[in-house]
Amino acid sequence: MSLTLLILFLFLAALGVPLAVALGLGTLATLWWFGLPMSMITQSMATSINSFLLIAVPLFILAGQIMERGGLSERIFDAAESLIGRCRGGLGHVNIVSSFVFGGISGSSVADIASLGPITIRSMTSRGYPLPYAAAMTLITSTLATLVPPSILIIVAAAAAGVSVGGALAGGLGPGILLAVALAGYNAWISGRRGYGMRVAFDGRRAVRAFLRALPSIGAPIIILTGMFSGIVTPTEAAGLAVLYTLLIAGVLHREIGWRDMVQLTIQAGRTAGAVLLILMVARAATYAFTVDQLPRKASGWLAVFDGSGFTTLLFMRVIFIVVGMFMDIVAAALMLIPVIMPAAVHAGIDPMHFLIFMSACLAVGLATPPVGTCLFATAYVSGVPIPRLIVAALPFYAINMAVLVLIAAFPQIVLWPVALLS
Amino acid sequence: MERLDRLLWRLVDAVILFAVTGMVVLICLQVGSRFFGASIPWTEELSRFLFIWTVWFGLAASFRTGSHPAITLLPDLAPRSLRWIFRAVPMIATTVLFAAVTWYGYDLMRQQMAFGERSPILQMGMWLTTMPLVVGAALSILGAIVSGIGGGQAADGARPDGTGRAE
């Protein structure tokens, strides 16, 4: 039964049917064929989004859009640039830091490229970095937003997996920092060797001014994350406050956003959330079919062949995650993989939280890889670098990403320590 | 016809705008009221209702603008003479799926009305949470057909760089 569903899904998806519709129709046809109640599709869809936690999704999307349009990202970049941009490879580090901070509010990798990408790439090339390197760096740093809290992918995945959303968001922090540090290390090394980036005299006055100008923008993720992780507010409430805060800064302080923009951004956030959450809704219905078919138990049986430690099991799963992530929208991929593979992972002795974050980190790689990578396309679009060239330039970064994944698989503490700290 | 199409989706956008704004206001109110020691009990329930409206109307609007994520590898490679297949199949698939969702959703809503199911705090009829499902599913069919036949995107549709997406 599960096989029928999966084959139907893949067939429809290959024909260009939206992923959510392909999964929904595959499920509907399977329910009908095996004589299960077809009304389950509507039931599952209705119950899956009747959730206060998921309200965080449209709100964090909206906050990210306000940041992008309201001049917050630009100020964050300026401040980082005037502080650390002067040394060799400095702008590469700026690229990493500003994507990290941006991800601390928006949770969307594509939004990161659209808003920070053009500024970063332009500044890097004007300081003597090769364009493909600047673009590839922007491409990889954008995936940080999918790991650093609040990540939209992690919110949706945690809700689907039935683990604590706040905990899962904290779990993304360790891998996010690790990836950022690894990228910074590589950037420092290669920039030193190849002489990327001109040295510019440090202008203390300008640095202080840029920092003060960016202070409210940098403050946003700090306020939001502290509020959320100290337990004063829930993730959903943090998202509401994030909208209010970014709006105050963009509208009142920067005066870069007006009523007309706000109307447009609000509607866009609702539409995007609808598209993301439709996948969640149909995935819930598919999960019903998988459960009736006892697919999770079967998958545990298959994986038992590996009869190894959690580490080897995760390394094997990494291959599946990355291949799936290369072809599919990552939210859809996560929601398909969770019901099938998570029970098997737990059976193999892997902590559910560790599994979930590891999976998200693997899928995030898929955003930047061919043949289907939203971030890859977006970066090619904003930088003007042809996709094949961009892929070649990004090869060392993919390698770093792989190495980081091995570390995350080997050391569950990277994920679990911040989670434990939270609870 | 074109004017009717524009009017309808403007109305859908208006609902989304109202619901998202409502959620932001309610959630800030929830935090604020708790901060001042007088928690308002109904903010959570009401914002959850608005959220359901947002999701269903938002996903319907995304069918109209054709911005639901899909794998376009094969359609992009196909010769021009076969392109119509890759427009027709998604349109038909969306119609069949959402026809079923509308049908069973309507059934569910009728049951909820008949049994007089009510929400725990505000005592609102639970059918109010199923209505957006029925309306949104029906609108999705319409959106998919109009976007499939028209081929183009709505005037203010998804941006070409895909920034409407949330990955």
Side-chain angles (χ1 to χ4, degrees), chain B residues 63-126:
Chain B
F63 276 109
R64 175 65 190 88
T65 55
S67 38
H68 280 275
I71 301 175
T72 54
L73 211 61
L74 216 55
D76 289 344
L77 293 174
R80 203 162 278 274
S81 56
L82 291 177
R83 292 264 163 98
W84 64 272
I85 299 177
F86 297 103
R87 289 230 312 244
V89 173
M91 196 171 84
I92 297 166
T94 310
T95 307
V96 174
L97 173 66
F98 283 99
V101 174
T102 314
W103 172 260
Y104 290 112
Y106 180 70
D107 218 39
L108 182 69
M109 188 171 84
R110 257 193 5 208
Q111 280 175 30
Q112 286 170 328
M113 282 168 123
F115 290 116
E117 248 182 276
R118 285 179 185 284
S119 71
I121 298 167
L122 287 168
Q123 292 293 310
M124 285 196 292
M126 281 309 278

Side-chain angles (χ1 to χ4, degrees), chain A residues 13-19 21 24-25 28 38-39 41-43 45-46 49-52 54-55 58-59 61-62 65 68 107-110 114 146 152 232-233 236-237 240-241 243-244 263 266-268 270-272 274-279 281 327 329-330 367 371-372 374 378 381, chain B residues 13-14 16-17 20-21 23-24 27-28 30-31 34 43-44 47-49 51-52 54-56 58-59 61-63 65 67-75 85-86 89-90 93-94 96-98 100-102 104-105 108 126 129 133 156-167:
Chain A
L15 286 174
V17 174
L19 290 165
V21 176
L25 195 58
L28 188 72
M38 277 160 76
S39 59
I41 191 126
T42 307
Q43 292 261 356
M45 287 173 102
I49 56 157
N50 194 349
S51 140
F52 185 68
L54 288 173
I55 301 179
L59 299 188
I61 291 174
L62 181 56
Q65 286 175 343
E68 175 191 336
S108 160
S109 292
V110 182
T146 304
I152 307 277
I232 301 171
V233 291
T236 305
E237 292 171 345
L241 294 180
V243 171
L244 188 69
V263 167
T266 309
I267 293 170
Q268 188 55 49
R271 287 180 182 174
T272 309
V276 171
L277 293 165
L278 175 61
I279 304 175
M281 291 194 270
F327 285 92
D329 171 78
I330 55 170
L367 284 173
V372 185
T374 343
Y381 179 79
Chain B
D13 282 349
I16 299 173
L17 178 67
V20 176
T21 314
M23 286 191 294
V24 175
I27 285 165
C28 292
Q30 176 167 325
V31 179
R34 197 175 58 225
T43 46
E44 184 169 329
S47 45
R48 217 169 48 211
F49 281 19
F51 173 64
I52 296 172
T54 306
V55 171
W56 279 100
L59 72 90
S62 296
F63 276 109
T65 55
S67 38
H68 280 275
I71 301 175
T72 54
L73 211 61
L74 216 55
I85 299 177
F86 297 103
V89 173
T94 310
V96 174
L97 173 66
F98 283 99
V101 174
T102 314
Y104 290 112
L108 182 69
M126 281 309 278
T129 62
L133 181 152
D156 55 348
R159 280 176 274 169
D161 53 357
T163 41
R165 306 269 165 83
E167 286 90 44

Side-chain angles (χ1 to χ4, degrees), chain A residues 122-143:
Chain A
R122 202 182 326 115
S123 325
M124 282 178 82
T125 46
S126 72
R127 289 256 186 101
Y129 294 81
L131 175 62
Y133 181 79
M137 185 94 192
T138 305
L139 169 65
I140 297 295
T141 54
S142 75
T143 60

